[in-house]
Amino acid sequence: MSKISEVVQRARAAFNSGRTRPLQFRIQQLEALRRMIKERERDIADALAADLHRNEWNSYNEELIYCLEEIEYTLKKLPEWVLDEPVEKTARTQQDECYIHSEPMGVVLIIGTWNYPFDLTIQPMVGAIAAGNAVILKPSELSENMASLLATIIPQYLDKDLYPVINGGVPETTEVLKERFDYILYTGSTGVGKIVMTAAAKHLTPVTLELGGKSPCYVDKDCDLDVACRRIAWGKYMNSGQTCVAPDYILCDPSIQNQVVEKLKKAVKEFYGEDAKKSRDYGRIISSRHFQRVMGLIEGQKVAYGGTGDAATRYIAPTILTDVDPQTPVMQEEIFGPIMPIVCVRSLEEAIQFINQREKPLALYVFSQNDKVIKKMIAETSSGGVTANDVIIHLSVHSLPFGGVGNSGMGCYHGKYSFMTFSHRRSCLVRSLQKEDPFKGRYPPSLAKMTRH
C-alpha cells in the first residue's frame, strides 16, 4: 500500500470512529484553526512573501482576514446549522415527523491553488470541518513555501489523523485522485478541473469545482470614472493580477476609452508609485513559466501603459492595452496577470452580446449610475457572481454563495453554503406504529377499492 493510500485510510478510520460527529468536537477543531492563524500569522506572511512577494498587510487583508471571519461566523452559526430542519408536510403525513438531517459526507479532499494559497485551501476546510468531515488537504506545489508551512503547522493544531496534508506535484496529485473520497473541492484551472472530475467520476464522487475564466467589466458612459477606475485598478493589479475573480478585461464606449486609460494610470501611480517594481504592495508572478505566458499576451498589442517585465524577478509592470482585437490571444484565455485589455463596444446591448458569445465567467462587473443598466446586465447575462460599481467584494459576504457556472465551475461554498456543500441533506420521515386505520387504503387487494376511486 502506498503512503498516500495509508493517509487516506487512516483519515477514513478516524472518521468512522465517530469522533467528528459531536458539535463540541467540531467547535474545538475550528477554535484550534483560529488559534493557528493568530499564533502563526508571521510564518504565514513570510511564506506568502516568499511565494508571491506579498507584504504582511496584504497577507492579512487579502487572505487571513477572510479565513478568520469565516471561522467566527461559522462558530456563531454552527449550533443552529446542525439542528434538524422541519419541512412542510403533505395531507397524508400530518401526523408524522418530517425533517432534513445534515450528516457529514465522510472523507473530503480539498485541492488548493497557488494564487491565494492559504485562504483558498483553509476557507473551504472551515466548512468541511463544521459539517463533521475528515479533510485531506493537497496544497498547490507552485506556492511551495506555503505548502511546506501548512504541512508543518496544521498537525500541530488539528487532529493529525482527521486532517492530514499531502504535498507534492502532478504525480502525487494523480496518485491522490486514484483514492476514493466522499467529496472533492478543487480550485484552479478549467483544464485540470476536467481531470479532477474525470477521476471523481470513477468513484461517483461529487465535486465542487472553483475554476475561472475571463471576468468582464463593463464601464458605462454614465458613471463616475475616477471612482470606477480606482476600484477596477485595485481589483486588477492586486496580487499582480493573479486573482480568479479579477476583472479580466474592460468593455466601454470608444468615446471614453482614453479617459479610462488616464484614470487607470492615475490610480496605479497612486497605489504603487511611478515604478511599481519598487512598491512593497505590488506582487510578482508565481513562476517563470507563467511569466513567459503572460508576457507573450502583450506581443503585437497597442500598449497604452506598462508592457515591460523582468524575468529574473518575475515582475510584470501594470499594463493597459487599447483597441484590443477580440480575436487576439490576450482575449482567448484567462490572463491571470497584470494586463488590462480594453475592448470597445458601442452600446450596452453590444456588450451583453459580446459577453454571451463567450464562456460563462466566474464574475461579472458593471459600473453605471443607471440602475436599469445594472439590472439589464444581470438579467441578460450569466456568471458565477456579480458586483455592480465595485469588483471582487461579493466574495466577502457570508450569506452569498461563491462559485462558478458552466466553464467557470460548479457548486459553491462560503458561510452556510460551505456547511451545505460538505453535508448530505438526508430526508427523514418518522411515523408512529399506532393509528393504522388511515393507511389501510393503500394495502392490496385493490379490486374492492376501485369503485371508490
Side-chain angles (χ1 to χ4, degrees):
M1 188 190 299
S2 72
K3 190 180 174 190
I4 286 171
S5 292
E6 284 177 13
V7 169
V8 176
Q9 289 211 5
R10 195 158 58 243
R12 190 167 294 284
F15 173 76
N16 288 341
S17 74
R19 66 177 183 265
T20 66
R21 299 273 178 165
L23 172 62
Q24 197 52 43
F25 178 85
R26 305 179 196 186
I27 288 172
Q28 285 167 355
Q29 295 300 304
L30 290 172
E31 287 173 341
L33 191 59
R34 177 176 60 187
R35 194 168 69 253
M36 181 190 88
I37 296 170
K38 290 181 174 179
E39 290 179 2
R40 308 307 286 265
E41 186 180 328
R42 173 52 66 87
D43 295 327
I44 295 164
D46 287 347
L48 289 168
D51 287 330
L52 290 153
H53 194 257
R54 192 137 351 124
N55 68 34
E56 201 167 339
W57 190 91
N58 287 336
S59 294
Y60 185 81
N61 285 283
E62 292 171 13
E63 297 216 37
L64 271 62
I65 196 167
Y66 293 114
C67 293
L68 287 170
E69 287 178 352
E70 184 86 353
I71 292 170
E72 295 294 345
Y73 183 75
T74 302
L75 284 170
K76 179 182 167 189
K77 295 287 188 179
L78 189 55
E80 174 190 320
W81 294 345
V82 297
L83 296 175
D84 291 337
E85 189 180 317
V87 296
E88 193 177 341
K89 299 176 188 179
T90 64
R92 291 177 183 164
T93 56
Q94 288 302 308
Q95 303 306 311
D96 303 323
E97 195 182 351
C98 300
Y99 58 91
I100 297 166
H101 174 73
S102 293
E103 62 181 22
M105 297 296 289
V107 180
V108 169
L109 171 65
I110 294 174
I111 305 176
T113 190
W114 53 262
N115 59 329
Y116 293 90
F118 188 81
D119 177 51
L120 294 179
T121 307
I122 299 301
Q123 195 169 352
M125 186 189 195
V126 172
I129 292 173
N133 298 282
V135 187
I136 293 174
L137 294 183
K138 171 59 189 71
S140 170
E141 70 279 8
L142 288 179
S143 44
E144 58 184 348
N145 293 282
M146 181 56 72
S148 175
L149 179 67
L150 289 174
T152 302
I153 65 175
I154 285 177
Q156 294 174 13
Y157 289 85
L158 301 185
D159 186 295
K160 294 179 182 62
D161 294 333
L162 284 166
Y163 312 113
V165 179
I166 295 174
N167 271 331
V170 173
E172 287 78 9
T173 306
T174 304
E175 194 68 28
V176 170
L177 286 169
K178 289 177 184 173
E179 298 294 325
R180 181 175 183 166
F181 295 95
D182 300 296
Y183 205 96
I184 298 174
L185 184 142
Y186 164 78
T187 304
S189 70
T190 301
V192 178
K194 291 176 181 177
I195 293 169
V196 171
M197 196 171 178
T198 301
K202 289 175 184 170
H203 299 292
L204 290 180
T205 299
V207 296
T208 288
L209 302 178
E210 295 293 346
L211 309 177
K214 295 182 76 62
S215 297
C217 181
Y218 176 68
V219 180
D220 190 18
K221 283 192 288 186
D222 176 25
C223 79
D224 184 329
L225 287 178
D226 285 296
V227 173
C229 291
R230 188 184 301 118
R231 291 176 182 181
I232 293 165
W234 168 76
K236 179 65 179 184
Y237 300 112
M238 174 200 297
N239 200 28
S240 201
Q242 299 166 116
T243 304
C244 57
V245 287
D248 189 274
Y249 61 93
I250 286 173
L251 294 171
C252 69
D253 191 278
S255 66
I256 63 167
Q257 180 178 225
N258 289 340
Q259 287 183 72
V260 169
V261 170
E262 290 309 309
K263 292 177 191 302
L264 283 173
K265 282 162 65 173
K266 182 185 172 190
V268 167
K269 289 174 184 177
E270 187 185 308
F271 298 161
Y272 307 115
E274 289 293 332
D275 183 1
K277 193 176 183 183
K278 295 175 182 172
S279 169
R280 289 184 68 250
D281 290 297
Y282 194 73
R284 296 295 183 270
I285 301 299
I286 187 70
S287 68
S288 296
R289 183 173 69 84
H290 281 281
F291 172 87
Q292 297 297 341
R293 181 190 63 79
V294 175
M295 286 301 291
L297 298 176
I298 302 172
E299 289 172 16
Q301 294 290 346
K302 191 173 165 185
V303 178
Y305 185 68
T308 58
D310 174 32
T313 57
R314 304 191 307 278
Y315 163 81
I316 298 177
T319 298
I320 305 166
L321 310 176
T322 53
D323 299 314
V324 174
D325 179 350
Q327 304 308 316
T328 51
V330 76
M331 289 302 294
Q332 301 305 309
E333 62 179 80
E334 184 177 7
I335 294 166
F336 232 65
I339 301 171
M340 178 61 89
I342 301 177
V343 177
C344 290
V345 290
R346 297 191 176 273
S347 66
L348 173 62
E349 288 72 23
E350 190 182 331
I352 289 170
Q353 183 182 22
F354 188 92
I355 292 164
N356 289 340
Q357 285 169 344
R358 285 155 179 80
E359 296 287 359
K360 293 177 181 180
L362 187 55
L364 183 147
Y365 305 112
V366 50
F367 285 81
S368 178
Q369 296 188 115
N370 186 338
D371 197 48
K372 288 181 180 174
V373 169
I374 293 168
K375 292 289 189 278
K376 185 177 174 72
M377 182 62 84
I378 292 172
E380 297 183 16
T381 60
S382 179
S383 65
V386 177
T387 293
N389 294 324
D390 206 344
V391 295
I392 298 176
I393 216 71
H394 59 286
L395 267 68
S396 66
V397 182
H398 299 298
S399 48
L400 287 174
F402 170 57
V405 58
N407 251 40
S408 59
M410 62 181 68
C412 62
Y413 69 109
H414 285 191
K416 189 174 184 181
Y417 298 97
S418 293
F419 178 81
M420 290 168 72
T421 285
F422 294 115
S423 297
H424 169 56
R425 288 168 61 76
R426 194 177 187 184
S427 302
C428 300
L429 185 148
V430 180
R431 174 164 282 176
S432 168
L433 281 168
Q434 314 300 318
K435 300 178 184 173
E436 179 68 356
D437 284 351
F439 309 118
K440 284 184 176 175
R442 71 185 185 183
Y443 301 127
S446 58
L447 199 58
K449 302 165 192 167
M450 295 295 274
T451 52
R452 291 187 228 157
H453 186 58

